[in-house]
Amino acid sequence: MTAERRTRNTPVVLMAAGLGLLAAALLWSYLRPGLWLLDLVVVPAVWLALAAGLALLLAGAVMRGRHSARAAAGPAALVVGAVALCVLIGPWWQITPKSWLVTHRGLYELALRTDPGTSYYGTSLPAHLRFLTAGGTVSGNPQGARFFPQWIGVPDDAGGYWYSPGRSPAGYDMYGMVCDAPVSLGDDWWMCGI
C-alpha cells in the first residue's frame, strides 16, 4: 500500500475505531448491567471509551474535511449523531443527576405507565426505556410511589429517582437502604442516594 493511499484511508480507520468505541460504550450504557465491584473498573473504562470514540470520530471527520467540504458532510453528520446518542443514553447521570432527570423527564413519565408488580426489585421496563434504570426495572411500594434505581449495590442498597405523589419518599426502602434526605426535583419527583 502506498503512503498516499494509507493517508487517504486514515480518516476512515479513525472514524471506524471511534464508532466501535462509541458503540461498545453506548451499548453498556443502554443495558446498564449491575456489575457492582467491577463497576469500579468498567465505569471509568466506559467514560474513556466515550471520550476516545468521540475524539477519534472527530479527528477522522476533520481529516476528511481537509480533502473537500463535500467529503466532510457525512462524517460531520456522524459526529452530530454520536453526540446526540451520548446525550440520550450516555452514563452522564453519574455526573449531573438533576440534569439527567430533566432531560429524560418525558421518558420517565412514560415509564410510570409500567406496572411495577409485586416483586421486590420490580418489573422490567419496555425495551426502549430500559436505559433509564440500573437493570432496566422499576419498582413500587404500598404508598403508590415508584422507584427508578440508578445504581444497585450488593448486598443491600441502591439509589435513584422516586416518583412519590403528594409526599417525600423519606423513609422508603431502596433495596435495603432507607431513603434519607431526598432532594426534591419538582412535580412529585425526587432523588435519593445519588
Side-chain angles (χ1 to χ4, degrees):
M1 184 182 294
T2 66
E4 180 184 326
R5 191 170 189 184
R6 265 196 310 263
T7 303
R8 203 173 338 126
N9 289 337
T10 301
V12 175
V13 171
L14 288 175
M15 289 188 303
L19 286 173
L21 285 170
L22 282 171
L26 290 174
L27 179 63
W28 181 89
S29 297
Y30 181 80
L31 295 176
R32 295 186 60 185
L35 301 176
W36 304 294
L37 292 177
L38 288 178
D39 279 349
L40 296 173
V41 174
V42 175
V43 170
V46 167
W47 279 104
L48 286 173
L50 284 171
L54 284 172
L56 289 171
L57 190 59
L58 186 58
V62 168
M63 288 177 75
R64 276 200 54 124
R66 287 184 182 164
H67 296 293
S68 74
R70 181 176 285 171
L78 278 175
V79 170
V80 170
V83 169
L85 274 174
C86 288
V87 168
L88 180 63
I89 62 176
W92 56 276
W93 67 267
Q94 300 161 341
I95 297 170
T96 176
K98 288 180 185 179
S99 297
W100 171 268
L101 183 75
V102 168
T103 303
H104 295 83
R105 181 99 169 236
L107 295 173
Y108 278 101
E109 290 179 2
L110 275 174
L112 286 173
R113 298 178 187 167
T114 303
D115 179 10
T118 57
S119 170
Y120 188 61
Y121 291 103
T123 58
S124 294
L125 289 167
H128 66 287
L129 299 174
R130 179 177 165 73
F131 71 94
L132 294 175
T133 67
T137 61
V138 59
S139 57
N141 67 10
Q143 292 82 10
R146 302 283 174 90
F147 181 53
F148 297 91
Q150 296 304 296
W151 63 270
I152 301 172
V154 170
D156 59 356
D157 54 357
Y161 302 112
W162 281 97
Y163 177 75
S164 181
R167 72 176 294 254
S168 163
Y172 288 172
D173 177 42
M174 297 187 302
Y175 308 153
M177 184 170 91
V178 174
C179 178
D180 183 29
V183 176
S184 174
L185 301 173
D187 298 324
D188 296 324
W189 286 96
W190 301 78
M191 68 180 191
C192 194
I194 53 175

